[in-house]
Amino acid sequence: MRRDISFKTEDGVTLRGWHYLPDGRTGRVPTIVMAHGFSAVKEMYLDRFAEAFAAAGLAALVFDNRNFGASDGEPRLEIDPWQQVRDYRDAITFVQGLEETDPDRIGVWGSSYSGGHVLVLGAIDKRIKCVVSQVPLASGHDNALRLIRSDTIAAVRGLFDADRRARGAGEPPAMIPVVSEDPAGPAALPTPDSWTWFTETGRLRAPSWKNEVTLRSVEMFTEYEPASYIRSISPTPLLMVVALGDVLTVADLALAAYEKALEPKKLVTLTGGHFDAYVNDFAAASSAAADWFRRHLLAA
């Protein structure tokens, strides 16, 4: 069963999403808190993951990140990773207060950018009893160096500086496309598979998705280091799902981060690329996550 929900963050922004409950629920149930990655909205396959968790006997709270989709927030289309981490924590507070939720059995699931967020959350918020991080961003700095040509890095930093000066003078933030059909064109996520997935998924499933973010969002991406928290997740159980063909949140950085995590932990590898986790490898990714949550939340 799915119903629409909304809740306010500590700073008063209304976030909106869905609350899923398993069929035949009796009493309070473990609940998974979920949000999407860089610029994506909940209709971009998060419903399928939440349905898989509900079928496994778990509740799920799915919400759009602030400034995107159905959620409020200004400036629109801006991604502040630390604000998104705080919003996850407010979502946990909200869902713990629902009569259907067992407040002592909360899990978090994230993918891509939010796959990095849940690494931070698992370390800093011990209300969380289980973590699943799918195709995660491990290091914004190192990942950016894989996506930005070395001969253009100085020019990109110059754009960040110019945008900062313009904002300081009262001008609106500069914008950049999320994806581009031209691999050499300006884009926050400059890979061919990013263009294909975002444009096709947006057209078929998520008309509210916009192919634009603030340039400042990209600057904040380069400063974000979620894997620096990974050793502190323990003793909370961590499952990491890595796509071995991932060239966006590149696989070797995620695998290196996993090696630094302490037990209990588990690694599941997928054969495809970054976006196959949502489509071609969905069955493997969702079943691994559901099994991990069932093991550590339903058995608790």
Side-chain angles (χ1 to χ4, degrees):
M1 181 183 75
R2 183 178 97 181
R3 65 184 177 97
D4 294 339
I5 55 92
S6 65
F7 62 95
K8 284 192 178 294
T9 63
E10 281 198 10
D11 61 343
V13 174
T14 298
L15 305 184
R16 298 180 178 87
W18 301 316
H19 185 217
Y20 287 79
L21 289 171
D23 292 338
R25 175 190 65 88
T26 57
R28 295 174 177 261
V29 291
T31 302
I32 314 305
V33 177
M34 310 167 56
H36 223 315
F38 194 94
S39 92
V41 294
K42 63 186 182 300
E43 291 84 2
M44 294 170 130
Y45 294 105
L46 291 201
D47 51 340
R48 295 186 68 197
F49 282 93
E51 289 163 2
F53 299 155
L58 304 154
L61 178 75
V62 183
F63 67 96
D64 275 330
N65 288 305
R66 71 167 63 203
N67 309 334
F68 290 87
S71 289
D72 293 348
E74 297 288 341
R76 297 303 290 175
L77 308 180
E78 175 149 292
I79 306 167
D80 179 338
W82 284 106
Q83 184 61 68
Q84 291 186 348
V85 167
R86 290 192 291 272
D87 290 344
Y88 253 100
R89 301 185 79 179
D90 289 342
I92 292 169
T93 300
F94 166 73
V95 84
Q96 282 185 314
L98 298 180
E99 63 180 12
E100 301 94 342
T101 304
D102 183 335
D104 297 320
R105 291 189 289 173
I106 299 294
V108 289
W109 178 98
S111 186
S112 193
Y113 212 29
S114 65
H117 298 346
V118 297
L119 299 179
V120 177
L121 286 157
I124 67 176
D125 194 329
K126 292 305 178 180
R127 295 177 298 175
I128 296 165
K129 299 302 188 289
C130 191
V131 177
V132 174
S133 174
Q134 175 177 286
V135 292
L137 173 76
S139 165
H141 176 268
D142 291 347
N143 213 110
L145 293 180
R146 301 292 189 90
L147 298 176
I148 304 171
R149 277 176 29 199
S150 59
D151 60 332
T152 66
I153 289 174
V156 170
R157 288 176 177 154
L159 292 174
F160 294 159
D161 294 341
D163 179 45
R164 189 176 297 277
R165 290 193 298 272
R167 297 195 315 269
E171 296 181 22
M175 307 299 290
I176 186 173
V178 179
V179 294
S180 172
E181 188 172 13
D182 179 2
L189 306 178
T191 66
D193 60 339
S194 296
W195 165 261
T196 299
W197 187 82
F198 272 100
T199 56
E200 289 186 356
T201 306
R203 176 175 56 85
L204 295 173
R205 296 178 60 94
S208 69
W209 176 76
K210 308 295 184 186
N211 186 19
E212 196 173 43
V213 292
T214 64
L215 182 63
R216 178 166 49 181
S217 301
V218 181
E219 184 177 23
M220 287 187 280
F221 176 103
T222 68
E223 300 165 351
Y224 188 43
E225 298 295 320
S228 65
Y229 287 81
I230 200 165
R231 289 178 60 87
S232 298
I233 296 172
S234 177
T236 304
L238 167 67
L239 171 70
M240 187 178 288
V241 180
V242 176
L244 297 179
D246 196 336
V247 295
L248 183 60
T249 54
V250 291
D252 62 292
L253 293 180
L255 292 170
Y258 176 80
E259 290 303 314
K260 296 178 182 178
L262 304 179
E263 298 290 346
K265 64 179 181 177
K266 182 179 179 180
L267 175 67
V268 170
T269 58
L270 308 176
T271 57
H274 185 86
F275 298 99
D276 287 312
Y278 307 104
V279 188
N280 295 335
D281 290 334
F282 167 77
S286 61
S287 63
D291 290 347
W292 189 251
F293 286 133
R294 283 180 56 87
R295 173 180 171 186
H296 294 286
L297 296 179
L298 279 177

